[in-house]
Amino acid sequence: MARVVTVGALASGRGTNLQAIIDAAAAGRIAARVAVVISDRRDAGALERARRAGIPALHVARRDFLGRDQFEARIVSELVARGVELVALAGYMRVVGPALIGAFRGRIMNIHPALLPAFPGLEAQRQAWEHGVKVAGCTVHFVDSGMDTGPIIIQAAVPVREDDSAEDLAARILEQEHRIYPEAIGLYAAGRLRVEGRRVRVLGG
Ligand code: GRF
């Protein structure tokens, strides 16, 4: 059995990507264990999903800290205390700052609902739909100091159909998110990701 990577997830919302990761880990499809889920929102569905899975669920409120560095320092100390090696942003609605990036350099992943570098930022599915693209998709990437700019690990494409609403498209993309995020974590756990500049090489399995 491959070494099991200890994952800490940061999430602000409903947590369906987190659920996909928890399920893949629980089923033994990836050599990962989610050790803690941290949210900046007390009411995040992601915290409820964590509790249901028996995973420690923490609310860390930004307003309890003077600046982003102090806020992130608390998050870092919670992650480190649980032996987290890989941080998975799963619908975490804040830009990650230097305190978190510095502590987990090259060990933070994010899922973005567009084929980066197109449509970074908020509501990417709607941006793509309004732009009129014919192919949309999602991206798992390592996080750097930019907004959705880090090295790309896996992408999945979906067609945009003639009668799609932005919501239809988002739902089709979400299905693929749930597939590729656990897959990317599995590749990391298996030691199969090598970052070379901007490029991530996936080593043969
Ligand atoms: C997903 O669309 C993800 O790509 C984006 O935020 C959304 C989170 O959804 N980063 P969920 O909380 O995982 O359901």
Side-chain angles (χ1 to χ4, degrees):
M1 179 67 182
R3 136 199 113 88
V4 172
V5 66
T6 302
V7 175
L10 304 189
S12 305
R14 62 194 170 171
T16 67
N17 278 287
L18 168 71
Q19 190 71 56
I21 295 165
I22 291 172
D23 292 348
R29 278 183 275 123
I30 60 175
R33 177 180 75 93
V34 182
V36 63
V37 175
I38 301 175
S39 181
D40 57 329
R41 295 189 52 120
R42 183 185 302 282
D43 60 353
L47 289 177
E48 187 49 38
R49 289 175 189 274
R51 286 187 206 105
R52 251 187 277 140
I55 297 167
L58 308 179
H59 170 228
V60 180
R62 172 65 181 83
R63 67 169 171 276
D64 290 347
F65 301 87
L66 236 40
R68 183 171 66 178
D69 281 357
Q70 291 95 321
F71 168 65
E72 289 195 343
R74 165 63 68 80
I75 292 175
V76 167
S77 73
E78 298 289 358
L79 294 169
V80 169
R82 289 169 178 82
V84 167
E85 174 182 343
L86 178 69
V87 179
L89 307 185
Y92 181 63
M93 299 305 288
R94 292 177 182 277
V95 175
V96 172
L100 199 48
I101 290 183
F104 287 91
R105 194 167 296 284
R107 295 186 287 134
I108 308 177
M109 283 186 192
N110 182 42
I111 177 92
H112 183 74
L115 293 173
L116 291 171
F119 311 118
L122 293 176
E123 295 205 50
Q125 308 96 322
R126 178 166 292 280
Q127 290 184 51
W129 183 84
E130 284 177 355
H131 196 88
V133 299
K134 301 299 187 189
V135 175
C138 48
T139 304
V140 181
H141 63 94
F142 283 115
V143 171
D144 64 12
S145 57
M147 160 91 88
D148 302 322
T149 53
I152 291 169
I153 302 166
I154 308 183
Q155 295 187 300
V158 302
V160 182
R161 300 203 197 285
E162 216 50 57
D163 299 326
D164 275 347
S165 63
E167 290 73 25
D168 294 333
L169 179 59
R172 192 171 305 125
I173 293 170
L174 190 63
E175 273 180 38
Q176 296 303 312
E177 296 183 36
H178 296 163
R179 182 175 65 79
I180 67 172
Y181 209 177
E183 188 180 338
I185 292 171
L187 289 171
Y188 179 95
R192 291 179 54 196
L193 300 179
R194 169 113 10 107
V195 182
E196 299 173 353
R198 269 218 54 83
R199 301 174 59 88
V200 179
R201 185 191 290 272
V202 178
L203 305 175

